[in-house]
Amino acid sequence: MEKAMIRMRMSMHDAHYGGNLVDGAKMLQLFGDVATELLIRQDGDEGLFAGYDKVEFKAPVFAGDYIEAVGEIVHVGNSSRKMVFEARKVIIPRPDINESACDVLEEPIVVCRAEGTCVVPKNKQRK
């Protein structure tokens, strides 16, 4: 089955709450981008996200964190594509050391998991 990954740093612009906490919806946005790539790889079309069956927020995300979002198609139907996603914190800022210090985490921290379904109409499937 197809797999895809995106990695990006959360910015101060992404911080929505006190303490530079990033809104959990940002993880769903990343999953949407991963889903789009998966559909392009699978079907040659961006398709449509039909809905999430399950979303679990496991740990907080802050501005400055590097998040790696991965996804995989786990079932291919006629036009539906069942997917699973996981977002992991892989790098964290270290303002206690100085304003530009960061650490790569030896063990990534899972911050969000989700399952969802996307659809690519038959007339748009090119593969």
Side-chain angles (χ1 to χ4, degrees), residues 8-17 21-23 26 29 63:
M8 68 182 302
R9 187 176 200 180
M10 299 296 106
S11 71
M12 289 301 288
H13 178 73
D14 297 312
H16 188 72
Y17 299 106
L21 184 64
V22 173
D23 190 336
K26 183 67 177 179
Q29 181 184 5

Side-chain angles (χ1 to χ4, degrees), residues 1-6 30-43 49 51-54 68-77 80-88 112-118:
M1 294 284 167
E2 291 288 338
K3 295 181 181 182
M5 187 267 290
I6 188 170
L30 294 177
F31 292 162
D33 289 342
V34 170
T36 298
E37 181 178 339
L38 286 168
L39 293 175
I40 291 168
R41 290 178 178 280
Q42 174 74 31
D43 295 293
F49 212 120
Y52 285 102
D53 304 314
K54 182 179 184 181
E68 181 178 275
V70 295
E72 179 179 6
I73 296 174
V74 294
H75 181 266
V76 176
S80 65
R81 311 300 182 237
K82 176 80 173 163
M83 301 179 186
V84 294
F85 304 95
E86 185 173 271
R88 306 175 195 116
C112 187
R113 287 193 179 114
E115 299 174 7
T117 303
C118 293

Side-chain angles (χ1 to χ4, degrees), residues 32-127:
D33 289 342
V34 170
T36 298
E37 181 178 339
L38 286 168
L39 293 175
I40 291 168
R41 290 178 178 280
Q42 174 74 31
D43 295 293
D45 191 85
E46 292 184 0
L48 303 165
F49 212 120
Y52 285 102
D53 304 314
K54 182 179 184 181
V55 176
E56 298 175 305
F57 297 104
K58 310 293 271 178
V61 175
F62 300 98
D65 290 344
Y66 279 78
I67 301 297
E68 181 178 275
V70 295
E72 179 179 6
I73 296 174
V74 294
H75 181 266
V76 176
N78 217 10
S79 60
S80 65
R81 311 300 182 237
K82 176 80 173 163
M83 301 179 186
V84 294
F85 304 95
E86 185 173 271
R88 306 175 195 116
K89 190 183 305 194
V90 294
I91 297 174
I92 59 169
R94 291 294 309 274
D96 55 312
I97 297 172
N98 69 53
E99 67 280 351
S100 58
C102 293
D103 283 342
V104 175
L105 298 175
E106 286 187 35
E107 287 293 321
I109 298 168
V110 175
V111 299
C112 187
R113 287 193 179 114
E115 299 174 7
T117 303
C118 293
V119 175
V120 179
K122 274 294 213 190
N123 65 343
K124 293 192 176 182
Q125 294 175 19
R126 299 187 307 116
K127 294 185 178 184

